Amino acid sequence: MAAPTSPSSGSLRPALYPARRIRRGGRVFLFYSSALLLTGLVSMLFADLIWRSGWSPSGFCLMGLFVILFLLTAIGCMHAIYGFAVRLMDGDARITRFADYRAKSLEGISTALIFPVYNEEIVRVYEGLRATFQSLEKTGQLQRFDFFILSDSTDPDKWIEEERRWFELIRDLDALGRIYYRRRAANEAKKSGNVRDFLNSWGRRYRYFMVFDADSVMRGETVVDLVKLMESNPEAGLIQTVPALAEAESLFGRMQQFANRLYAPVFIAGLNFWAQGFGNYWGHNAIIRTEPFMQFCDLPQLPGRKPFGGQILSHDFVEAALLLRENWEVWFAHDLEGSYEEAPQALIENAQRERRWCQGNLQHGLVLFAKGLRGVSRLHLVLGIFGYLSGPLWLAFLLTFNWIFGYQEFTGLSTITMPSLLGNWSGSGTAEAFLIFLICMVVIMLPKALALIDLANDWPRRTLFGGLARATAGVVGETVFSTLHAPLLMLWHTRFVATNLLGITIGWTTQKRSADGTDWFYALQRHWGHTFIGAVWGAFMWQLDPGLFWWFTPVLAGLVLSIPLSVLTSRRSLGAHARRLGLFLTPEETKPPVELVSLRAQMKIH
């Protein structure tokens, strides 16, 4: 069979080797069969537990919700298990292993680095660009790259500042003819329209382009490596790095950053195990082959009214699916270091971002039925959708369980106990229920344990987290926080999904924050409903059964304590105190890269 072709050789549909297809198909089958097998075994136990007290419509509902929720949890657990095994055996099939890509020459190759902005904090955007520019300059390959600031800003003060600081930037860096600025008069189709407008005007001058977010920074060597990887893999249409969260100062931000840096290597290795060249795109910190993207990734307008119809908001998943449809590969370069981004510093800021992503991911319900999409692409879309549907499903599970228990208590009807379908080995109903609970806890906690074991096996990396003892203490602290945070996400996601289904959009006002995080009054405005629901729910559970109340304490505590939790975790002072104690340390804090050091220094000047 002929080798895959690239755009430069005249074809825009590279051939895929059948053997490679079979290997990938086998990986997908093995991975998801493992998750389904685990779900099936535990679901049998749960079905037997319901059988003992007699089936009912609410029992069937509870069973269905359990199967879906456990399957989603099992898939997450399998990512960690397979990722841990891959890293332990160093047997990962990744794109950086396919060729000696670093020997490739960049002669005659041009790449555009684009920074779409929309009323952003422009100082942060430009200083991130400066850090990347200077790092790239040190590689000696700067002449192969051009930088573009693509403004969609609608605030006159913003775009005036953008132009002024652009002039200062090219003066400071002596980068006239290397850094460009343009502002669209009409920001049609938002970010995806901004990128499309740039490509229509300038795209054919560049073989590749890289998309940066407003808070992105990349090491120059990583940028060069991505271009060489594309040159070494002519069938690749897109290569996505795994950005490391960095520069967090608040307690919330540092916990999120710690979890990202500690858990992500194992999870992404597991994701890459089954995805291989059928990966996904996260919208930034990725390199894209220009010609196939221009030809195949023009997004359609979805039928119907907003929020589901109209412009596709979460365009990145869809663009990856369109490339895969045309036989272009999409890879995760998860072992490439030097790709960074920032995260929200507080719970409410994080929820605002989740709100936008929720609407975009739910739109993918229509994209699922597009003709010609690969099954793996539909799988990526489904997982993204259920990332937000899991919240309302979990709430429905808890309420259904409350209904069943409350119905029995208030009617005074006795339960007619049936013998177990699984024989005597399962023990009493209480023992069986406790066994199911233990299995669920193991499935939830095992990924964190595997991430710690993976860290223990890598001494140089372990020291970057402050040592194994401090990393373990960080995992315990992050687990306690995530347990309290989960019920808030459950209610937020339920609200987001419900309002989208009703065709209602939620307007978020400008955040009211003090100099050291979320203030108490703003937190009260945003969380009073959570506190009220937690108090009423807790009172109901106590009245129903004090013993059952204590089992629900983790859920109720997160809701009742939402206001102080939101305020205190947003505090930069508490984040700094945790750092002094050696908690939630990350490699970017203990051994900061030059790019982030430069960024911090420049931000202090401003």
Side-chain angles (χ1 to χ4, degrees):
M1 177 178 286
T5 59
S6 68
S8 58
S9 62
S11 172
L12 282 179
R13 282 185 171 84
L16 291 180
Y17 294 109
R20 186 177 291 180
R21 282 179 174 172
I22 293 171
R23 288 197 299 270
R24 288 169 182 158
R27 286 168 177 255
V28 172
F29 178 80
L30 176 63
F31 181 90
Y32 284 96
S33 294
S34 301
L36 287 169
L37 177 62
L38 177 60
T39 302
L41 293 174
V42 180
S43 296
M44 286 175 59
L45 285 174
F46 194 81
D48 184 61
L49 184 64
I50 295 178
W51 162 261
R52 289 184 173 212
S53 58
W55 283 96
S56 65
S58 53
F60 277 106
C61 180
L62 194 69
M63 182 70 210
L65 290 168
F66 177 85
V67 171
I68 296 172
L69 289 169
F70 191 88
L71 176 60
L72 295 173
T73 308
I75 290 172
C77 184
M78 288 301 161
H79 278 112
I81 292 174
Y82 278 87
F84 175 78
V86 160
R87 287 172 61 85
L88 186 65
M89 297 183 292
D90 194 29
D92 193 10
R94 50 185 182 266
I95 193 168
T96 52
R97 281 192 163 188
F98 286 171
D100 184 15
Y101 65 94
R102 287 197 169 97
K104 284 284 184 179
S105 170
L106 298 190
E107 187 68 31
I109 301 170
S110 56
T111 303
L113 278 60
I114 64 174
F115 293 74
V117 297
Y118 176 73
N119 295 330
E120 308 286 353
E121 182 186 348
I122 200 61
V123 171
R124 172 60 187 82
V125 177
Y126 281 24
E127 293 309 328
L129 189 156
R130 182 199 298 269
T132 304
F133 183 99
Q134 292 176 329
S135 181
L136 193 53
E137 191 173 31
K138 293 175 183 177
T139 67
Q141 301 287 353
L142 182 62
Q143 70 275 15
R144 309 295 178 195
F145 299 87
D146 288 331
F147 293 71
F148 290 84
I149 302 153
L150 308 177
S151 175
D152 259 355
S153 298
T154 55
D155 183 345
D157 291 336
K158 287 288 186 182
W159 79 59
I160 291 172
E161 183 185 12
E162 289 168 0
E163 293 189 24
R164 178 175 64 83
R165 292 193 179 276
W166 165 66
F167 178 78
E168 294 173 353
L169 189 64
I170 59 175
R171 181 195 61 198
D172 294 345
L173 297 175
D174 191 23
L176 186 63
R178 189 64 62 195
I179 302 176
Y180 299 88
Y181 172 88
R182 83 96 170 89
R183 187 183 71 83
R184 291 199 301 170
N187 59 344
E188 179 187 359
K190 300 183 180 179
K191 181 178 178 180
S192 60
N194 197 357
V195 173
R196 183 176 65 243
D197 182 80
F198 163 77
L199 293 176
N200 289 339
S201 301
W202 291 74
R204 287 184 171 82
R205 301 185 182 198
Y206 301 96
R207 188 176 301 183
Y208 310 111
F209 70 99
M210 298 186 195
V211 183
F212 286 69
D213 253 6
D215 56 9
S216 295
V217 177
M218 289 187 72
R219 184 184 301 163
E221 294 175 355
T222 305
V223 172
V224 172
D225 282 347
L226 285 171
V227 177
K228 291 181 177 181
L229 277 171
M230 291 294 266
E231 285 294 292
S232 301
N233 296 274
E235 71 278 9
L238 187 152
I239 301 175
Q240 173 70 63
T241 66
V242 181
L245 295 184
E247 298 301 283
E249 296 179 344
S250 71
L251 184 58
F252 172 82
R254 294 194 66 249
M255 285 190 287
Q256 298 296 97
Q257 184 174 277
F258 170 80
N260 165 267
R261 295 298 281 129
L262 183 61
Y263 307 148
V266 168
F267 275 97
I268 300 301
L271 175 60
N272 188 68
F273 169 82
W274 65 264
Q276 296 295 283
F278 294 109
N280 213 346
Y281 175 36
W282 298 333
H284 57 91
N285 291 43
I287 186 169
I288 303 172
R289 198 177 297 269
T290 306
E291 279 295 324
F293 189 90
M294 291 179 64
Q295 181 168 346
F296 302 122
C297 296
D298 195 15
L299 299 178
Q301 291 284 313
L302 296 177
R305 296 181 180 180
K306 294 182 179 180
F308 292 102
Q311 173 198 341
I312 296 176
L313 297 181
S314 293
H315 53 89
D316 39 14
F317 279 39
V318 180
E319 288 160 348
L322 293 175
L323 283 173
L324 290 173
R325 185 176 67 174
E326 303 300 330
N327 284 347
W328 289 96
E329 295 185 346
V330 177
W331 281 91
F332 294 113
H334 62 89
D335 54 332
L336 277 187
E337 297 287 341
S339 178
Y340 310 104
E341 66 172 332
E342 296 178 12
Q345 295 285 302
L347 271 73
I348 298 173
E349 292 178 75
N350 187 67
Q352 291 177 344
R353 184 177 68 169
E354 291 284 318
R355 173 65 183 87
R356 295 191 297 270
W357 288 355
C358 177
Q359 182 172 335
N361 281 25
L362 291 181
Q363 275 187 315
H364 293 163
L366 297 179
V367 181
L368 277 173
F369 302 101
K371 293 181 179 179
L373 292 189
R374 293 185 176 275
V376 174
S377 296
R378 300 184 202 274
L379 189 56
H380 284 302
L381 294 172
V382 167
L383 292 177
I385 292 170
F386 273 96
Y388 291 94
L389 290 183
S390 59
L393 290 174
W394 182 29
L395 179 61
F397 179 86
L398 295 177
L399 293 178
T400 303
F401 177 80
N402 284 176
W403 165 259
I404 293 173
F405 198 91
Y407 180 81
Q408 292 176 346
E409 289 292 319
F410 289 121
T411 60
L413 297 175
S414 60
T415 301
I416 301 175
T417 305
M418 302 291 290
S420 171
L421 293 174
L422 302 177
N424 296 327
W425 74 269
S426 59
S428 66
T430 301
E432 191 172 26
F434 188 67
L435 175 61
I436 294 171
F437 171 78
L438 285 180
I439 293 173
C440 291
M441 289 300 101
V442 169
V443 171
I444 291 172
M445 298 304 298
L446 183 60
K448 299 186 179 189
L450 291 177
L452 276 175
I453 297 171
D454 178 73
L455 184 69
N457 290 332
D458 189 343
W459 185 86
R461 181 166 168 259
R462 188 168 73 228
T463 60
L464 296 177
F465 284 87
L468 187 60
R470 287 177 174 174
T472 303
V475 168
V476 172
E478 184 276 330
T479 300
V480 171
F481 167 76
S482 61
T483 301
L484 297 174
H485 186 207
L488 297 176
L489 284 178
M490 175 185 71
L491 292 187
W492 263 321
H493 287 180
T494 300
R495 180 187 178 193
F496 299 158
V497 170
T499 52
N500 273 278
L501 292 176
L502 294 173
I504 302 170
T505 57
I506 299 175
W508 289 89
T509 58
T510 303
Q511 295 179 65
K512 301 176 182 177
R513 293 180 295 159
S514 67
D516 193 29
T518 305
D519 65 44
W520 288 94
F521 182 69
Y522 185 64
L524 177 62
Q525 288 179 307
R526 292 300 184 189
H527 291 293
W528 72 266
H530 301 145
T531 305
F532 178 76
I533 291 172
V536 172
W537 197 352
F540 172 76
M541 294 299 297
W542 183 265
Q543 181 69 27
L544 192 63
D545 187 314
L548 188 63
F549 168 86
W550 293 112
W551 282 100
F552 271 72
T553 298
V555 175
L556 300 174
L559 299 177
V560 173
L561 299 176
S562 58
I563 294 174
L565 185 72
S566 185
V567 172
L568 296 177
T569 57
S570 73
R571 294 287 189 249
R572 287 164 173 78
S573 56
L574 292 181
H577 183 63
R579 183 172 181 174
R580 287 192 295 270
L581 294 175
L583 293 176
F584 313 120
L585 294 175
T586 64
E588 287 68 37
E589 291 180 324
T590 54
K591 190 179 180 181
V594 173
E595 294 77 18
L596 296 184
V597 172
S598 171
L599 174 64
R600 293 169 194 168
Q602 289 295 325
M603 291 301 293
K604 287 180 180 179
I605 294 174
H606 296 287

